[in-house]
Amino acid sequence: MMDLTGVRHVQARIAQLQEQFGMPGNMPGTGFSQKLEKEIQKSLGLANTEKVQDTAKVAAEDKSQQLPEVQQTEAAKKVSSKLLDDMPLADQNLSTLIEAAARKYKVDPKLVAAVAEVESNGNQDAVSSVGAIGVMQLMPDTAASLGVDPYNKQQNIEGGAKYLRQMLDTFGGDLKKAVAAYNAGPGAVKDYGGVPPYKETQNYVSKVLDIYR
């Protein structure tokens, strides 16, 4: 609806000016026209001022309404940042290292990855109760014989892939025997002519082959 307050104000001033410059209904003089123009401009200026004030008020209200949302966004960022700080860093290069090591020693990368998962879940910081170190759980003596540093993740994985290659060569490519030898040692596999009757080794072979297949 149109705001007629300003118009009514001008009409009231016209009536006052008519009384000042001449009788109501008579044609007012030149002074009346100038006065009238001044009053109109004054009235319009007042209306514009009120509009500016109203606009500023609305903007302030909108800003006030948006403030909780801004605060909520900042709070969400802080929570997200806290969660990221608490989470372990993603190991983005593990698969790359496995691929490279597998290619170097001509072992199926899926087999290397399966062994890595069962041995340590791909964790370089894992240390077993018997002292096996890192991703593919190399014993210090085994790592030394392979010429790798088991505390270095790249060398650890390369050592594991190299040892798998040796076990595959030792047992004529027999996957089950090679995996069993990785866990129990080649001597035990030779002694029993296959997977040793150790529950740990049997479970180990099953887990690795299930993942591999």
Side-chain angles (χ1 to χ4, degrees):
M1 181 179 292
M2 184 180 293
D3 186 0
L4 299 178
T5 303
V7 175
R8 288 169 183 161
H9 178 73
V10 172
Q11 289 174 335
R13 289 298 296 157
I14 289 173
Q16 291 175 1
L17 292 171
Q18 283 177 334
E19 290 178 356
Q20 181 179 345
F21 289 93
M23 295 298 292
N26 291 344
M27 180 66 69
T30 306
F32 169 80
S33 298
Q34 294 173 347
K35 268 286 195 186
L36 178 60
E37 179 66 20
K38 187 175 180 180
E39 289 298 322
I40 290 173
Q41 293 299 326
K42 184 178 177 181
S43 178
L44 290 174
L46 177 62
N48 288 335
T49 300
E50 291 174 348
K51 286 181 180 179
V52 171
Q53 291 174 342
D54 288 342
T55 302
K57 184 178 179 182
V58 170
E61 290 175 351
D62 287 345
K63 187 175 180 181
S64 176
Q65 291 173 356
Q66 291 173 359
L67 186 58
E69 182 179 348
V70 172
Q71 291 174 342
Q72 183 179 8
T73 300
E74 292 300 324
K77 286 181 180 179
K78 289 180 181 179
V79 171
S80 177
S81 178
K82 180 67 167 60
L83 289 173
L84 289 175
D85 289 342
D86 291 342
M87 291 175 64
L89 293 176
D91 192 353
Q92 298 178 345
N93 68 344
L94 179 62
S95 60
T96 301
L97 293 176
I98 288 174
E99 287 278 352
R103 186 166 55 251
K104 182 175 181 179
Y105 293 105
K106 296 180 174 58
V107 181
D108 189 337
K110 288 174 59 180
L111 178 60
V112 179
V115 170
E117 183 172 341
V118 175
E119 287 286 354
S120 67
N121 199 29
N123 182 7
Q124 177 58 25
D125 295 326
V127 178
S128 75
S129 58
V130 295
I133 301 163
V135 175
M136 294 179 70
Q137 295 288 275
L138 298 180
M139 293 295 290
D141 290 346
T142 304
S145 69
L146 294 167
V148 298
D149 177 2
Y151 294 99
N152 178 292
K153 182 165 64 175
Q154 179 180 355
Q155 291 189 36
N156 186 300
I157 294 170
E158 285 193 1
K162 183 178 181 180
Y163 192 62
L164 270 175
R165 177 74 270 164
Q166 290 178 356
M167 296 303 98
L168 286 166
D169 291 344
T170 298
F171 295 101
D174 188 311
L175 191 59
K176 185 177 290 188
K177 289 181 180 180
V179 172
Y182 192 97
N183 175 262
V189 175
K190 290 177 180 177
D191 288 344
Y192 289 99
V195 179
Y198 311 147
K199 187 174 183 180
E200 177 189 340
T201 302
Q202 291 176 344
N203 289 338
Y204 176 87
V205 172
S206 295
K207 287 178 183 178
V208 170
L209 295 183
D210 282 347
I211 294 171
Y212 175 66
R213 290 165 182 163

